[in-house]
Amino acid sequence: MKLIRKLIVFLVSLLMTFILVFGILFVLTYDDSKNPYDKTKEYNDIVNIIGKSTYDSIEDIKLNNYKEDKNNITLSITDDDLNHYVYKMIKENVNKNYLETEDYIIKKGSTTLQSIYFSIIDSNIHLSVRIDNGIYKTIVMLTGEINIENRYLNIKLKATNLGKIPAPLEVMKAFLATANLNYGNTIQFDVDNLIFKINLEEVFKKDNDSFMSILLNSADIKSVTSDKKIDIILDTKDIFLKEQVIPSCSKGNLDEQKENAKIEAMANSFNYSIDISEESLNYLIVDNLGDSLNKFNKEFKIGDKNFKLKIKDNEVFYDIKESKIYSNIYLNDASIPLVITIEPIYNMESDYITSISFDVKEVKLGNVISNNIDLFDIDDIPSADLGLENVNIKEIKLNKETNSITINGIYEL
């Protein structure tokens, strides 16, 4: 009887201990809190933040006369702004009814991912993930660090809590792997490495001009995290610079040269030849590049801010020796020196040059080589636009020693 009594006491004690431990774990891990995101509140859209920050930064750059330590574009994004952006991405790419008719992001079997919410406290970023597994509700809290790599804002999650107690990262990995979250091109989640990635180029391109993505790709970027916000800083000191001096072009005695070339052609079986100086050539180019230049002169909006991008008509010069075009691009009147390395291509038809194409080899914005060469394509110049009336052009020679060109052809009455 004593043995049975001891066994019963042991089993009751074991049961009570199990109940106590389970109860403590349940209390420590249970969480039925609601998503703190308030969709009725007025938030700053990321595109408006980018627009205002870029606009104000450009004004400061000009005001400070392009000083290196004042030459940057700073985007300040609060955790409220970030959560609003995540909310919009969830509605656009995961669950259009999120926080409308459904208070969850996604369901997988009996498990529901109810919300994802960021908070920035004392320079640390925290991600709270609310989960309902069908039996009880809990919250997984992850602490992470922020960095920028390959034009992505990365939030790498490290420490994990399940409710109020530490939990292995593998628990979170296992759940998120089954959730298979995808927010389109803008936001991805690397489950294996627990990295929340925001594609800054996609953010910049959204609802604005592609030139802003050029700035993003040309500038060095860093992030600074402080209480309640992240500062994304684009170092533009090698992009926005004082305008470079563009050599002036002059018609010179071109009309006289053309008249003499015509007279010589008529006395020489209509074989036409003329040497044109670099200055006169640039006069012809600038005089006939209106359409090509106009494609850079545009207005666009980022959020609710207006921007103007332009190249001035008289600020284009082709250097024959270097085979480079020099100019300045102005973004809201802030100058970006532009150098385009080109190779002329002569398009022929029946032994005559009908037009000149330009193969863009390199684009330099300020002191930075840009990868966005396509944006700087130069329209073909028809040979008729070179201003040599009644001349069928057979050959164009670049004389790099004398910085001039020789045009040979047949003159027609």
Side-chain angles (χ1 to χ4, degrees):
M1 289 295 292
K2 287 183 178 181
L3 182 61
I4 293 174
R5 192 179 297 116
K6 286 181 180 180
L7 183 59
I8 292 172
V9 170
F10 172 75
L11 292 174
V12 170
S13 300
L14 186 62
L15 180 61
M16 292 299 293
T17 301
F18 175 79
I19 292 172
L20 180 61
V21 170
F22 180 80
I24 292 172
L25 287 174
F26 184 85
V27 169
L28 291 176
T29 59
Y30 184 79
D31 187 292
D32 63 351
S33 61
K34 299 297 182 183
N35 184 358
Y37 178 79
D38 181 3
K39 70 184 184 68
T40 64
K41 180 180 171 181
E42 190 168 330
Y43 293 92
N44 285 324
D45 271 341
I46 293 293
V47 67
N48 287 331
I49 294 171
I50 291 174
K52 185 177 187 311
S53 300
T54 303
Y55 187 94
D56 292 345
S57 295
I58 289 173
E59 293 301 309
D60 288 341
I61 289 169
K62 292 187 297 184
L63 182 65
N64 289 287
N65 201 25
Y66 304 93
K67 286 180 62 176
E68 287 193 5
D69 60 338
K70 304 287 185 180
N71 200 324
N72 55 64
I73 294 173
T74 300
L75 314 177
S76 294
I77 301 174
T78 68
D79 47 12
D80 276 350
D81 300 329
L82 182 59
N83 285 314
H84 177 59
Y85 192 70
V86 170
Y87 163 75
K88 289 180 65 177
M89 289 302 100
I90 290 171
K91 285 182 67 66
E92 289 177 14
N93 298 284
V94 183
N95 183 355
K96 65 181 180 180
N97 298 315
Y98 179 53
L99 298 186
E100 299 292 343
T101 58
E102 297 170 349
D103 62 352
Y104 61 85
I105 297 174
I106 193 169
K107 284 184 177 181
K108 288 287 182 177
S110 61
T111 303
T112 303
L113 176 60
Q114 294 183 304
S115 68
I116 291 176
Y117 194 79
F118 286 101
S119 55
I120 304 172
I121 304 170
D122 296 331
S123 300
N124 292 318
I125 190 160
H126 305 274
L127 175 64
S128 299
V129 181
R130 295 172 54 250
I131 299 171
D132 182 350
N133 71 356
I135 300 174
Y136 76 105
K137 299 177 180 180
T138 189
I139 187 168
V140 179
M141 293 179 290
L142 301 101
T143 301
E145 59 184 22
I146 295 176
N147 65 27
I148 292 177
E149 185 177 358
N150 297 328
R151 309 311 184 201
Y152 278 83
L153 176 67
N154 295 325
I155 303 171
K156 182 170 177 56
L157 304 172
K158 300 167 76 174
T160 308
N161 273 40
L162 185 62
K164 298 178 181 178
I165 63 173
L169 284 171
E170 297 303 322
V171 173
M172 191 61 185
K173 285 184 182 181
F175 173 75
L176 290 176
T178 59
N180 192 26
L181 295 176
N182 190 326
Y183 302 99
N185 294 327
T186 307
I187 300 178
Q188 291 98 41
F189 194 90
D190 180 350
V191 175
D192 294 331
N193 298 298
L194 283 180
I195 302 176
F196 206 88
K197 298 178 151 189
I198 298 177
N199 186 333
L200 294 177
E201 185 171 5
E202 289 295 325
V203 173
F204 260 63
K205 281 165 52 178
K206 197 173 181 64
D207 300 327
N208 66 69
D209 189 85
S210 59
F211 191 79
M212 296 310 301
S213 65
I214 292 180
L215 284 185
L216 180 71
N217 285 321
S218 301
D220 289 332
I221 310 176
K222 67 177 181 178
S223 62
V224 177
T225 310
S226 55
D227 195 39
K228 298 290 290 179
K229 72 170 185 173
I230 306 166
D231 284 337
I232 300 173
I233 302 171
L234 281 69
D235 184 350
T236 53
K237 68 176 182 295
D238 285 326
I239 300 171
F240 291 105
L241 300 166
K242 292 180 181 180
E243 58 190 10
Q244 62 185 338
V245 177
I246 307 300
S248 60
C249 55
S250 170
K251 189 176 184 180
N253 64 343
L254 183 59
D255 287 341
E256 183 181 343
Q257 283 182 279
K258 287 163 60 178
E259 182 63 25
N260 290 335
K262 181 178 77 171
I263 293 171
E264 288 184 20
M266 293 177 69
N268 188 27
S269 303
F270 297 100
N271 290 306
Y272 184 96
S273 181
I274 187 172
D275 291 324
I276 299 177
S277 69
E278 189 174 66
E279 291 77 12
S280 296
L281 173 65
N282 277 281
Y283 170 82
L284 291 173
I285 290 175
V286 170
D287 199 41
N288 293 287
L289 267 184
D291 291 340
S292 294
L293 293 178
N294 285 336
K295 74 177 181 179
F296 294 108
N297 298 344
K298 60 180 73 176
E299 298 184 10
F300 58 92
K301 295 189 75 168
I302 305 177
D304 52 10
K305 289 294 183 179
N306 295 312
F307 292 83
K308 291 183 179 180
L309 184 70
K310 66 182 179 182
I311 290 180
K312 296 179 182 178
D313 289 349
N314 62 342
E315 284 196 357
V316 178
F317 192 86
Y318 173 53
D319 186 310
I320 293 175
K321 184 178 292 185
E322 299 293 333
S323 199
K324 296 179 188 294
I325 294 175
Y326 292 90
S327 186
N328 295 297
I329 294 179
Y330 296 89
L331 182 60
N332 279 17
D333 294 323
S335 64
I336 305 172
L338 172 66
V339 181
I340 305 176
T341 303
I342 63 170
E343 179 183 334
I345 298 172
Y346 306 112
N347 303 310
M348 308 289 295
E349 186 176 315
S350 300
D351 296 328
Y352 295 112
I353 296 174
T354 56
S355 64
I356 306 171
S357 301
F358 297 94
D359 183 15
V360 177
K361 297 295 186 183
E362 181 182 272
V363 173
K364 188 177 181 183
L365 294 169
N367 295 323
V368 179
I369 305 298
S370 173
N371 294 324
N372 297 74
I373 289 178
D374 291 345
L375 186 65
F376 295 92
D377 284 342
I378 301 171
D379 293 341
D380 291 357
I381 299 179
S383 57
D385 286 352
L386 290 178
L388 302 180
E389 297 84 2
N390 303 321
V391 177
N392 292 322
I393 299 172
K394 299 188 73 172
E395 181 182 42
I396 298 176
K397 291 181 181 179
L398 299 178
N399 307 315
K400 296 191 176 184
E401 292 76 16
T402 59
N403 283 358
S404 63
I405 67 166
T406 299
I407 298 178
N408 297 318
I410 301 296
Y411 183 78
E412 288 189 345
L413 289 175

